[in-house]
Amino acid sequence: MRVSAAYALGRNTDQTIVEPLIQSLQTDFNGYVRKGLVWALGNCGDRRALAPLIHALKTDISAVRLWSASSLPNIAKLAYEDVIATIPPLIEGLRRDKMAAVRSNCAWAVGQLCRELPSNVVYATAIDALLEALVEDEDFGVKEDAKSALLRLGDARGLQMIEDLEMDGLI
């Protein structure tokens, strides 16, 4: 019932639901419910959801981390400072999460957020993390998501690395 309620609230983007969703995310013991709550928070379009989503990405079970990574770009793209705050935890998830699916979603999310960034040190760090995942991650799906993110961005350095790796038969 609580899972269905979370998804229903996520389709209703009224700003009055944000605080109750955040409160539920912090207190509900059920991982399936929290997964629905992070999805709902990602749909709400409210910056108040950013910190709880980042916290969930760092600390929750894998299913919740997976949806947190996917939800973060929906909120962070609202303001430049939110993009800047969101990139480091996503990079950390891309580099260190034990679950390949979470790392894949982090790669996708980093690619989405880089589209909002000017060419600066944060952008360069994000590109480095995507290149690192492309070359070093042991999971093929993570490599593919990193490659897709780089291709969508059209970053010259990323495109050159993909071309070099393809010519060498490494990807």
Side-chain angles (χ1 to χ4, degrees):
M1 180 90 74
R2 294 189 321 272
V3 174
S4 296
Y7 285 116
L9 289 170
R11 288 184 196 90
N12 172 6
T13 57
D14 186 294
Q15 299 305 303
T16 60
I17 66 167
V18 176
E19 287 301 327
L21 288 172
I22 291 170
Q23 181 65 23
S24 294
L25 178 62
Q26 294 169 346
T27 59
D28 202 295
F29 66 90
N30 187 298
Y32 292 109
V33 174
R34 291 193 313 276
K35 182 178 94 167
L37 290 165
V38 297
W39 178 84
L41 285 167
N43 281 348
C44 74
D46 191 298
R47 293 179 69 204
R48 293 175 288 174
L50 191 66
L53 288 172
I54 290 172
H55 180 74
L57 174 65
K58 291 179 176 182
T59 63
D60 217 310
I61 64 171
S62 60
V64 176
R65 294 191 318 269
L66 179 106
W67 281 97
S68 295
S70 297
S71 293
L72 278 166
N74 294 335
I75 303 300
K77 69 181 179 183
L78 298 174
Y80 176 76
E81 58 269 14
D82 295 339
V83 173
I84 297 301
T86 304
I87 294 281
L90 285 168
I91 289 173
E92 183 178 341
L94 174 59
R95 287 180 171 156
R96 293 187 174 83
D97 202 282
K98 294 175 186 170
M99 297 296 297
V102 175
R103 294 193 310 274
S104 284
N105 278 21
C106 287
W108 174 84
V110 167
Q112 292 295 110
L113 289 173
C114 280
R115 294 166 39 182
E116 309 293 328
L117 285 176
S119 183
N120 60 18
V121 69
V122 176
Y123 176 86
T125 302
I127 295 298
D128 288 344
L130 290 170
L131 289 169
E132 179 183 315
L134 175 65
V135 173
E136 296 179 12
D137 201 281
E138 70 273 359
D139 185 84
F140 181 74
V142 175
K143 289 176 177 283
E144 280 300 307
D145 282 337
K147 179 180 174 183
S148 292
L150 289 164
L151 289 171
R152 272 192 315 267
L153 289 170
D155 178 79
R157 192 165 49 105
L159 295 174
Q160 184 63 54
M161 177 65 84
I162 291 169
E163 184 179 321
D164 291 348
L165 291 169
E166 286 176 343
M167 288 183 68
D168 292 343
L170 298 174
I171 61 170

